[in-house]
Amino acid sequence: MSIVSKLKRNELKLVAEKIGLTVPGDAKMIDLKRLIEESDVFKEDYEFVKSVIEQVLEEVKTQKSQLNGEIELERLKLERVKAELKLAKLRSSANNSETSLNGGETEASIDFDTLKEPIVSDKMFQTIDRETAAHINIRPSGDWFRPLQLVQNNEILPIIDKCSSFLKLQVVLAWCVRFKEKSPLQISTGNLTVAELSTALLCLVRKVQSVYFTTEILCIERGQQLPDSINLLTLSPFLDERKILCVGGRLRHFNLPAEQKDPMLIPNNHLICDLIVKHYHFSYLHTGAEATLANIRTKFWIVNVADPKSNV
């Protein structure tokens, strides 16, 4: 079967033009296929034509993706307009039926509650790339998780399964933190800051630790001694001022950066462990097991890890 047999008319036309053929304006699919297959370029340099076809297919796919993104953005803008119309209707109704605001809902509260969600959604797609937006709007069940819900509730753990890299996960959560901490009407555009990325990392670690180290955290908060059965006992764990469970011990007396003195504890049976190991393994150009583990421990301490490369 010829490599041009599955191409559509517009794709055939693009391929023909890219390999230097003259395409008649009224050419049909069968004419375009014959034109390409009977050309000298096709007969003499098959691999070149094949690469051109792959390039054209990729361009068509990108254009389609951009079009879908533009359609989604227009849909979000339409939702905001609908919300504004609803607000105007509420205001008109309030003016006709109320002679005073005493005991009633204030105009400011109607405005914020009604417009918050569409404004946040609209701003989201204007300021972040489409891939990150897709991660933020994960849909594991019936409803979309909003950025505010994602950071405030315990739904931060399912999003880990949706990210293929540690950096992408950190960026997604950093955007969620920005939407959580700023008013929807005051969200600034631009790149994420170091502070926002750091806050997202702490939020992520804190959530994971609250699930996997519940007993340890509870004992430390109550000032109780850790049971002998707990695996972390030899690590002298403690809660720092950020409410992060860290490794204690004699390293704190050395002249080292704070995160190296007291690395954050990470469970070895969670996907975040795999993402961290993969991140450090690739970042340091595929180092060996011991070097990878040493680099990880400059910030994290994975509990009971034997060979970190087994997680790559």
Side-chain angles (χ1 to χ4, degrees), residues 59 79 174 179 304 310:
E59 290 176 358
E79 291 297 325
F179 280 95
N304 296 332
S310 63

Side-chain angles (χ1 to χ4, degrees), residues 2 15 19 49 54 73 80 96 110 113 118 132 139 153 169 194 212 218 235 263 266 273 277 282 307:
S2 174
V15 170
I19 62 177
V49 177
E54 292 175 351
L73 181 58
R80 185 174 66 175
N96 293 334
I110 296 174
D113 292 337
T132 303
R139 192 179 190 180
N153 300 334
L169 175 62
V194 174
Y212 283 84
L218 190 60
L235 300 177
I266 299 295
C273 172
V277 171
F282 292 160
D307 182 4

